[in-house]
Amino acid sequence: MDEIKIVDFEQNMLHDIMQLFYETVHTINAKDYNEQQLERWAPLKANEVSWKQRLNNNICKIALMDGMITGFAELTDDGHVDTLYVHKDYQGRGVASHLMDFLLQLSTENGFKELTTESSITAKPLFEKYGFEVTRVKTKLYNGKEFINYEMIKAL
């Protein structure tokens, strides 16, 4: 199995992360969401400034395999898992598990009592595998389109 290395986000990774996000949403999440939802969730022309601000403001960890970005995850300073995405070609290879393990370790080190997330339909089984429980199923309006997602929590 290829070695997965977890590193901090650096500015020169921004475009690769945005591309990974776009491609992953439009392939992996396509089984759970329709084309209009996918376009609103991950538009082809994403706002680079807002991406840069978010990745710089959150704790953003990047998964690398053979020097290639294979996933990323963001944790806010109040214990919210904001994103966790794995490259469409690296699904099922342990990338999400490595990122989640790293976030859990970081959360413990930071003294968080719980983690929260808003999970997509697609990611819900991963979060459940790590002990997150659904606290609310909701319909969220995002960029003018409705999405089903799950508010989830994990006690630490």
Side-chain angles (χ1 to χ4, degrees), residues 54-138:
R54 201 182 78 230
L55 295 176
N56 282 324
N57 289 339
N58 291 334
I59 300 166
C60 183
K61 296 298 179 178
I62 310 299
L64 300 173
M65 291 175 76
D66 298 322
M68 182 177 163
I69 295 174
T70 57
F72 70 98
E74 293 173 85
L75 183 66
T76 65
D77 58 12
D78 64 352
H80 183 76
V81 179
D82 201 19
T83 60
L84 197 160
Y85 288 91
V86 174
H87 190 289
K88 66 181 179 63
D89 297 333
Y90 287 83
Q91 300 283 314
R93 294 175 63 180
V95 176
S97 295
H98 271 72
L99 285 166
M100 187 64 80
D101 289 342
F102 200 92
L103 293 182
L104 289 171
Q105 177 187 338
L106 206 55
S107 298
T108 302
E109 290 169 3
N110 282 312
F112 296 153
K113 301 293 183 222
E114 63 186 24
L115 286 181
T116 61
T117 196
E118 284 189 36
S119 174
S120 67
I121 295 167
T122 314
K124 182 175 169 263
L126 172 77
F127 285 104
E128 288 175 330
K129 173 183 166 188
Y130 276 87
F132 282 77
E133 295 178 1
V134 174
T135 56
R136 188 168 86 145
V137 180
K138 67 181 203 175

Side-chain angles (χ1 to χ4, degrees), residues 26-42:
H26 283 269
T27 55
I28 303 305
N29 298 93
K31 67 180 178 160
D32 296 312
Y33 297 92
N34 67 43
E35 191 58 40
Q36 291 94 3
Q37 289 172 312
L38 298 174
E39 272 307 315
R40 299 290 172 88
W41 184 355

